[in-house]
Amino acid sequence: MREESTKRRMTRQRRIILEELRMLRTHPTAEELFQIVRKRMPRISLGTVYRNLDVLCQSGLVLKLESAGQQAHYDGDVSQHYHIRCRRCGKIEDVYPEEVNGISDPTVCRRDYQIIGWSLIFEGICPDCSEDIVAENSN
Amino acid sequence: MREESTKRRMTRQRRIILEELRMLRTHPTAEELFQIVRKRMPRISLGTVYRNLDVLCQSGLVLKLESAGQQAHYDGDVSQHYHIRCRRCGKIEDVYPEEVNGISDPTVCRRDYQIIGWSLIFEGICPDCSEDIVAENSN
DNA sequence: GTGCTTGCAAAGCTTTTGCAGACCA
DNA sequence: TGGTCTGCAAAAGCTTTGCAAGCAC
């Protein structure tokens, strides 16, 4: 069965979540963003924040920074840039392309951090799944 | 109070977990590795697998792939390489340095995948935490 | 009016932890 | 023998989901 694309609606909740996230220079968790949005919409629920962040990610308007086992962080800036995470407090900050001098020598990226390591992860659709998707859509 | 370094023991469980992980070319979750190790040690518990993977990561013998979706994945190969994750099935595969032609043009990384994006995450200790650590150790 | 979305609360999943007994060095 | 480690089970923490009412289009 072909998956129909769902018609999204720009609800007040969705708009405010996006607005607030874009105003932040930090990369809040869903919970943190919930606390912020709550000031403008006291009755909004955490579940709604999660649902909307998910929709916004799928639309490409928001970036989800996943870190397994812990809380995901969200980024309202989808332009090309990288991140640095503090292994102790979990805070995530931006790293801009001009700060990085190549993946083979990434130690010189932010002078104020003690760099321990880095990871480069590509995202895509594997050959098996590509086949499945084609099969699904040919029904 | 200064943290004393703990004396680690190479128990049968720890050894087998490391052995099995090193034999795999995949990057299993704790649960998956648990199922594998279980065949050799039927009474091992999932908690033990988690605890040992944590110890092995701290020793630098194992890599924890956190930014890899919901569950953490573990890698027994700690030599320099990158990863690619399928956004549909969650599978993680290796990407070797020679396949990557620079972070500004990462689309040419694996011909058999449809690349959607990539992320570069640095890990370190932020300035605030560095201060805290110094303060803690000066007691 | 249709059907996507919300608030609320409960459920689900992954990971962590407390404890008593077991085991490595 | 001492202190680390294990198995078991319960707890913790983050995220998802079911449902009836609400709202965007």
Side-chain angles (χ1 to χ4, degrees):
Chain A
M1 188 176 62
R2 183 183 311 234
E3 177 154 329
E4 299 293 334
S5 76
T6 331
K7 213 171 288 175
R8 303 297 190 189
R9 287 173 187 171
M10 187 47 76
T11 58
R12 205 164 100 74
Q13 288 85 343
R14 188 163 298 163
R15 186 172 44 75
I16 291 181
I17 286 169
L18 185 56
E19 271 176 28
E20 291 294 338
L21 184 55
R22 283 184 169 161
M23 274 193 271
L24 293 169
R25 295 211 196 86
T26 59
H27 305 81
T29 62
E31 173 68 35
E32 286 164 352
L33 191 52
F34 169 57
Q35 296 302 342
I36 291 165
V37 171
R38 214 178 194 179
K39 292 176 189 157
R40 289 175 62 183
M41 292 192 95
R43 299 198 43 104
I44 196 170
S45 74
L46 181 55
T48 296
V49 173
Y50 272 108
R51 273 185 291 225
N52 277 302
L53 285 171
D54 191 47
V55 168
L56 291 168
C57 283
Q58 283 175 39
S59 316
L61 295 172
V62 162
L63 221 58
K64 184 177 185 178
L65 310 174
E66 304 190 86
S67 57
Q70 306 165 44
Q71 297 177 70
H73 291 250
Y74 296 87
D75 192 344
D77 174 8
V78 295
S79 69
Q80 193 194 67
H81 65 285
Y82 317 120
H83 296 100
I84 184 163
R85 177 171 42 207
C86 176
R87 232 177 232 185
R88 187 162 176 277
C89 69
K91 178 171 59 190
I92 297 180
E93 295 193 80
D94 289 320
V95 172
Y96 296 99
E98 56 271 23
E99 295 180 85
V100 182
N101 61 345
I103 48 172
S104 51
D105 177 16
T107 51
V108 194
C109 110
R110 279 179 69 117
R111 267 149 269 116
D112 49 348
Y113 268 73
Q114 290 178 39
I115 306 288
I116 296 172
W118 77 99
S119 69
L120 177 59
I121 301 187
F122 294 87
E123 305 251 339
I125 304 294
C126 74
D128 292 346
C129 284
S130 292
E131 268 186 40
D132 290 350
I133 291 171
V134 171
E136 280 164 15
N137 290 338
S138 63
N139 288 355
Chain B
M1 189 178 60
R2 185 180 314 235
E3 177 154 331
E4 300 293 335
S5 75
T6 333
K7 212 172 287 174
R8 303 297 189 188
R9 288 175 186 171
M10 187 48 75
T11 58
R12 206 163 100 73
Q13 288 85 343
R14 188 163 300 164
R15 187 172 43 74
I16 291 182
I17 286 169
L18 184 56
E19 271 176 26
E20 291 294 336
L21 185 55
R22 282 184 169 162
M23 273 193 271
L24 293 170
R25 295 212 195 85
T26 59
H27 306 80
T29 62
E31 172 68 35
E32 286 164 351
L33 191 54
F34 169 57
Q35 295 302 341
I36 290 166
V37 170
R38 213 178 196 180
K39 291 175 188 159
R40 289 175 62 182
M41 290 194 97
R43 300 197 43 104
I44 197 172
S45 74
L46 181 56
T48 295
V49 173
Y50 272 107
R51 273 185 290 225
N52 276 302
L53 285 171
D54 192 46
V55 168
L56 292 167
C57 283
Q58 283 175 39
S59 317
L61 296 172
V62 163
L63 220 59
K64 184 177 185 179
L65 309 176
E66 301 203 74
S67 310
Q70 301 281 320
Q71 297 177 69
H73 290 249
Y74 296 87
D75 192 344
D77 174 8
V78 295
S79 69
Q80 192 194 69
H81 65 284
Y82 317 120
H83 296 100
I84 184 164
R85 175 168 66 116
C86 176
R87 232 177 233 186
R88 187 162 175 277
C89 68
K91 178 171 61 190
I92 297 181
E93 296 192 80
D94 289 320
V95 172
Y96 296 98
E98 57 270 22
E99 294 180 86
V100 182
N101 60 345
I103 46 173
S104 50
D105 177 16
T107 50
V108 194
C109 111
R110 279 181 69 116
R111 270 149 265 115
D112 49 348
Y113 268 74
Q114 290 178 39
I115 307 289
I116 296 171
W118 76 100
S119 69
L120 177 59
I121 300 186
F122 293 88
E123 305 252 340
I125 303 294
C126 73
D128 292 346
C129 284
S130 291
E131 269 185 38
D132 291 349
I133 290 171
V134 171
E136 281 164 16
N137 290 337
S138 64
N139 290 354

